[in-house]
Amino acid sequence: HDPEPFPELLAVERILPREEPEASAVITEALAADGVVVRTGAEVVKVERLADGRAVIHTESGDPVTATHVLAAIGRAPSGRSVSVSSR
């Protein structure tokens, strides 16, 4: 797999899925203007590291993406399990 000649962003549904669709569209268009390819419907199933340090991201669609860097943003569901709160 040769590295992509441009930055690529994978998203399951769309960018900013909790925001209004219009906000998502504005961000997607701005990224596209900067040369970023936004690939929606791309559920990542596996990431593997190659011997040369690059990563291969395998998607559910079977269309792998080779990259030099990977940033995973896995949502923002709060968890208070490790927070100790006391009332006075």
Side-chain angles (χ1 to χ4, degrees):
H1 306 281
D2 292 328
E4 298 290 331
F6 44 78
E8 189 155 349
L9 183 61
L10 307 177
V12 173
E13 183 182 343
R14 60 184 169 88
I15 301 298
L16 303 173
R18 294 181 181 192
E19 304 301 328
E20 294 295 324
E22 295 80 14
S24 177
V26 167
I27 298 299
T28 301
E29 289 172 16
L31 289 169
D34 285 341
V36 176
V37 174
V38 177
R39 191 189 303 190
T40 57
E43 186 172 340
V44 176
V45 294
K46 177 181 170 184
V47 178
E48 65 180 314
R49 177 73 59 190
L50 300 176
D52 64 3
R54 293 180 299 152
V56 178
I57 301 105
H58 299 274
T59 63
E60 194 172 67
S61 68
D63 212 8
V65 175
T66 303
T68 57
H69 295 79
V70 175
L71 170 67
I74 319 263
R76 7 169 238 175
S79 172
R81 285 181 271 142
S82 64
V83 178
S84 176
V85 177
S86 63
S87 60
R88 293 183 182 205

